[in-house]
Amino acid sequence: PGVRMNGITRILRFLVSMRPSPELASQMKIFMPFVAFDEGRCSVPGCNKLWDHYGFAVGCQKQGASTGFAYSSSQDSSGAWFSLPGACPALSVGDKDRGCMQKYPGGGCSDLSVSPTCTYSIKYAGEIFLDELAGIQDFAKWQRQGNLEYDEVKDRGVGTSFWDFRGSAAWCTRRMHRVRSLLKAKYPLLPEDLPAPSCF
């Protein structure tokens, strides 16, 4: 009670610059297939073989109706997931050791020109809290009063309508408009949005 799933309290926005790994560039590709990560660890079989084949490339997977996500807009017809392999991507955050990180340095660097293995750099570009997004003042108190952000069976919340109708394109567009508006208000000098690259 009083805590959201996985302790998530905010949405972080980052500006990511990327380039294909030398292995992908030789294949005339920009992205490798998307790879799932949990706690900093690649959670699909044979991860190290993937890095040997693709380098520490950014992965991309289109979303949309075929994967059960209905959200689309004029700016983003399907949405996408991206995977960014960090150092020692086969081990969880607390288990990474120096030897593994030297052998598998990952693709993240502060400057893409530092090394051929560098495939992406990340810069902080703002954050918004879920409470301000959904219009909740004190989440723990609000929840103790019997409110609920979202009920999967009813497809709606109690005490808030922000997360209602999860699969509705119109409601998802409304939610994204709220996200962009808050970010624009808090960070007026940063771009409101940038076009996302296509997965190919």
Side-chain angles (χ1 to χ4, degrees):
V3 179
R4 290 182 173 91
M5 183 177 175
N6 298 324
I8 295 171
T9 59
R10 60 192 172 151
I11 296 171
L12 290 166
R13 181 176 64 169
F14 295 97
L15 178 62
V16 179
S17 300
M18 55 103 27
R19 68 177 182 189
S21 64
E23 293 87 346
L24 277 182
S26 69
Q27 301 171 42
M28 304 296 286
K29 293 181 179 178
I30 296 175
F31 296 106
M32 68 177 281
F34 172 81
V35 177
F37 282 86
D38 295 294
E39 298 181 0
R41 180 183 67 84
C42 171
S43 54
V44 300
C47 289
N48 287 342
K49 290 181 181 177
L50 292 173
W51 318 132
D52 291 340
H53 181 71
Y54 293 108
F56 296 106
V58 174
C60 189
Q61 176 179 303
K62 288 188 80 135
Q63 300 303 298
S66 62
T67 53
F69 296 89
Y71 172 70
S72 65
S73 74
S74 58
Q75 296 166 315
D76 185 359
S77 61
S78 64
W81 287 349
F82 297 94
S83 53
L84 307 169
C88 189
L91 297 177
S92 298
V93 172
D95 298 328
K96 298 176 189 288
D97 59 64
R98 188 180 302 260
C100 180
M101 291 192 287
Q102 286 176 345
K103 185 173 181 179
Y104 295 99
C109 296
S110 58
D111 181 349
L112 290 178
S113 65
V114 169
S115 161
T117 65
C118 294
T119 57
Y120 65 91
S121 66
I122 299 174
K123 292 182 181 175
Y124 174 82
E127 64 185 49
I128 52 176
F129 287 88
L130 295 181
D131 285 355
E132 64 182 319
L133 187 61
I136 298 169
Q137 297 296 317
D138 179 336
F139 183 75
K141 180 180 177 183
W142 179 83
Q143 195 178 50
R144 283 194 304 271
Q145 293 170 341
N147 295 306
L148 181 68
E149 281 188 296
Y150 182 74
D151 181 322
E152 285 192 48
V153 175
K154 296 178 181 175
D155 194 25
R156 60 190 327 144
V158 176
T160 181
S161 61
F162 184 78
W163 302 105
D164 289 3
F165 312 116
R166 184 173 66 176
S168 163
W171 279 72
C172 286
T173 298
R174 205 174 298 162
R175 283 187 278 272
M176 285 306 302
H177 176 72
R178 172 86 172 137
V179 167
R180 289 188 177 105
S181 296
L182 283 173
L183 286 168
K184 184 175 183 180
K186 291 177 79 170
Y187 307 97
L189 300 180
L190 292 175
E192 183 178 344
D193 199 6
L194 292 172
S198 299
C199 298
F200 61 88

